[in-house]
């Protein structure tokens, strides 16, 4: 897959759209913006691995990355 | 479970004649401690500490099980403890300090005068967190300590005027000898909506000297541009001076575990450590995160995980400092 360097405004729009789509996915534990190849991508954090590919790799031309961060605790 | 029942069970499990599956009392190695109520931290064992945690309702308590090694989490000893408590346990993996981390970090757990950012601090009822910065309020002419709500205000349980200790109680601080400030204001942690900041300020006592400069960094001024910042540093009570880089901004839907339960945060900053080292651990909460390039302030550290990030050693979460300043009417760093 070729790398797409998106403007931050476009990445924000995709983040909002994807956030709504994934609102019912219990494993999702955060969705934000990540710097990528001179532009911005969307980062979806997971508390646990998801068995099915419910997270798309690209939305509206913006790359979507995933990371399993586990449980987050106040330090 | 009733409080006396939890205490009785705890004593039974760690007593000199443990039941099958019980634990022998021994001295534990140094451990990263989460900034939490001192009553949540009990006697410790190799890899496992037992204490008392609050339950979901008033006068409801759980046996707190704090685990230093990941492979013990699903192990038979923890299962035996859970069985003995009839499932009424609050099990958390808290991690353990590496030998490398212990030596340089110890300096930030000691008593220091003048008080200074980066060192141990805490509300008298909690373990210990980190003194983030000395700040100036809008319309105020006296210095305040900035840190987290869960460090200075005991997760909304603190009362205005409560004693703030340096070092925190877990590091030996006492109300009689080590009070340095009084809780003044905090951002309420809310379980019914998305939170944006875990922050509080405490008014420094008139007779307590302070030094606003940061260890190893000196004076920090101004706020960094979040979209431009990449490389960051912090000085914290547990892991000391660490480098990191920003792995995400504007992170929404972050569920963070507190003693009171899971709380949601929106608009957060995510940071990972470098060279295989975590950027933060328990006790670093409240640290100010600083943009390495501009030497300006960026965020207030409050939470973290033990997995994820480029090296897989965990990520740290922080509130944008501009949001913290706005929420608490802070004019800037002192």
């Amino acid at each position: 897959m070729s790398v797409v360097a998106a403007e931050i405004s476009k990445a924000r729009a995709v983040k909002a759209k994807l956030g709504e789509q994934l609102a019912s996915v219990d494993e999702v534990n955060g969705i934000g913006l990540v710097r990528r190849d001179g532009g911005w991508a969307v980062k979806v954090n997971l508390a646990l691995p998801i068995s099915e590919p419910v997270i798309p790799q690209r939305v509206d031309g913006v790359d979507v990355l995933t990371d399993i961060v586990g449980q987050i605790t106040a330090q | 479970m009733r409080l006396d029942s939890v205490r009785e069970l705890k004593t039974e499990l760690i007593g000199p004649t443990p039941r099958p599956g019980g634990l022998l009392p021994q001295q534990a190695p140094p451990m990263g401690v989460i900034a939490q109520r001192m009553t949540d931290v009990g006697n410790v064992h190799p890899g496992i500490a037992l204490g008392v945690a609050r339950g979901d309702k008033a006068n409801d308590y759980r046996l707190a099980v704090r685990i230093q090694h990941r492979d013990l989490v699903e192990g038979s000893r923890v299962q035996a403890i859970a069985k003995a408590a009839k499932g009424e346990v609050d099990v958390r993996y808290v991690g353990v300090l590496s030998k490398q981390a212990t030596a340089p970090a110890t300096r930030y757990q000691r008593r220091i005068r003048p008080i200074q950012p980066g060192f141990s601090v805490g509300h008298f009822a909690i373990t210990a967190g980190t003194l983030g910065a000395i700040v100036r309020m809008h319309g105020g002419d006296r210095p305040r300590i900035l840190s987290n709500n869960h460090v200075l205000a005991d997760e909304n349980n603190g009362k205005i005027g409560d004693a703030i200790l340096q070092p925190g109680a877990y590091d030996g601080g006492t109300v009689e000898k080590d009070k340095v400030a009084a809780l003044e204001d905090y951002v309420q942690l809310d379980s019914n909506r998305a939170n944006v900041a875990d922050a509080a300020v405490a008014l420094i006592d008139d007779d307590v000297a302070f030094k606003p400069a940061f260890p190893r960094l000196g004076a920090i001024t101004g706020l960094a541009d979040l979209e431009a910042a990449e490389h960051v540093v912090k000085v914290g009570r547990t892991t000391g001076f660490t480098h990191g880089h920003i792995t995400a901004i504007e992170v929404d839907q972050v569920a963070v575990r507190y003693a009171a339960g899971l709380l949601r945060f929106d608009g957060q900053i995510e940071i990972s450590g470098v060279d295989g080292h975590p950027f933060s651990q328990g006790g670093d909460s409240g640290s100010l995160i600083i943009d390495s390039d501009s030497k300006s302030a960026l965020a207030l550290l409050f939470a973290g995980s033990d997995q994820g990030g480029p090296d897989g050693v965990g990520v740290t979460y922080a509130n944008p400092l501009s949001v913290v300043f706005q929420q608490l009417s802070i004019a800037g760093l002192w």
Side-chain angles (χ1 to χ4, degrees):
Chain A
M1 184 181 291
S2 62
V3 170
V4 176
E7 296 290 331
I8 194 166
S9 58
K10 192 170 183 183
R12 280 190 181 120
V14 168
K15 188 191 95 171
K17 182 178 178 179
L18 198 54
E20 288 181 15
Q21 286 177 14
L22 300 176
S24 61
V25 180
D26 291 341
E27 291 86 350
V28 172
N29 194 10
I31 177 166
L33 305 177
V34 57
R35 198 185 300 277
R36 185 163 167 86
D37 298 304
W40 293 86
V42 172
K43 183 170 186 270
V44 178
N45 289 336
L46 302 172
L48 296 165
I50 295 179
S51 54
E52 297 175 16
V54 296
I55 314 290
Q57 291 184 308
R58 185 180 292 175
V59 175
D60 297 342
V62 176
D63 286 345
V64 178
L65 316 178
T66 58
D67 187 15
I68 298 168
V69 300
Q71 190 176 81
I72 299 158
T73 306
Q75 293 187 325
Chain B
M1 203 185 304
R2 287 168 40 183
L3 181 58
D4 55 354
S5 300
V6 178
R7 285 177 173 152
E8 191 178 315
L9 177 62
K10 191 183 110 186
T11 302
E12 190 177 347
L13 285 165
I14 65 176
T17 311
R19 65 165 64 184
L23 303 165
L24 292 171
Q26 291 182 38
Q27 185 68 37
M31 61 189 286
V33 60
I34 296 170
Q36 61 184 332
R37 282 212 147 193
M38 281 294 284
T39 50
D40 281 359
V41 181
N43 294 317
V44 289
H45 303 268
I48 298 177
L50 298 183
V52 180
R54 281 173 296 188
D56 298 329
K57 302 169 189 168
N59 301 318
D60 178 35
Y61 295 88
R62 301 273 187 276
L63 183 67
V65 184
R66 301 294 180 255
I67 303 166
Q68 295 179 326
H69 307 291
R70 198 192 305 275
D71 55 357
L72 294 175
V73 173
E74 303 293 337
S76 58
R77 286 196 293 174
V78 172
Q79 287 175 6
I81 291 168
K83 187 177 179 183
K86 296 184 170 61
E88 295 193 50
V89 289
D90 175 4
V91 180
R92 297 188 202 178
Y93 168 69
V94 296
V96 60
L97 292 182
S98 69
K99 194 172 181 181
Q100 292 85 348
T102 304
T106 303
R107 64 173 294 194
Y108 299 110
Q109 295 161 17
R110 65 187 166 92
R111 189 180 199 273
I112 180 125
R113 299 292 182 275
I115 61 170
Q116 195 176 0
F119 283 80
S120 170
V121 79
H123 181 276
F124 71 86
I126 75 137
T127 52
T130 297
L131 195 165
I134 311 291
V135 296
R136 185 189 310 277
M137 312 297 284
H138 284 296
D141 58 357
R142 288 176 58 189
R144 272 80 169 177
I145 289 170
L146 171 65
S147 187
N148 296 133
N149 175 323
H150 79 270
V151 172
L152 298 182
D154 186 21
E155 295 189 23
N156 301 341
N157 291 308
K159 294 182 176 61
I160 303 308
D162 274 357
I164 304 302
L165 313 181
Q166 197 295 309
Y170 191 85
D171 296 325
T174 65
V175 173
E176 293 74 26
K177 294 180 179 176
D178 303 301
K179 178 179 180 293
V180 295
L183 176 62
E184 183 178 56
D185 195 11
Y186 57 88
V187 182
Q188 191 88 12
L189 292 170
D190 195 327
S191 58
N192 296 314
R193 62 170 174 79
N195 295 273
V196 294
D198 175 352
V201 284
L203 184 63
I204 298 175
D205 292 348
D206 282 335
D207 59 348
V208 172
F210 66 94
K211 180 179 175 184
F214 286 70
R216 299 186 60 166
L217 295 167
I220 301 298
T221 55
L223 292 181
D225 177 359
L226 257 178
E227 290 182 29
E230 288 188 65
H231 305 289
V232 295
V233 291
K234 74 103 186 61
V235 184
R237 174 260 176 210
T238 303
T239 58
F241 181 79
T242 57
H243 291 268
H245 62 270
I246 295 174
T247 46
I249 63 169
E250 301 179 22
V251 187
D252 298 337
Q253 301 179 32
V254 184
V256 180
R257 180 169 293 280
Y258 284 79
L262 282 176
L263 301 181
R264 173 180 163 160
F265 282 79
D266 280 359
Q268 302 304 302
I269 302 167
E270 182 189 281
I271 296 148
S272 67
V274 296
D275 300 329
H277 299 293
F279 185 64
S280 67
Q281 289 183 335
D284 286 329
S285 265
S287 302
L288 198 75
I289 296 174
I290 295 156
D291 176 19
S292 306
D293 300 320
S294 66
K295 288 281 178 68
S296 51
L298 188 81
L300 188 67
L301 192 158
F302 78 106
S305 71
D306 59 7
Q307 56 180 305
D311 295 323
V313 296
V315 288
T316 295
Y317 290 89
N319 315 136
L321 206 59
S322 57
V323 173
V324 171
F325 279 15
Q326 185 269 327
Q327 292 275 315
L328 288 171
S329 294
I330 295 170
L333 299 179
W334 194 273

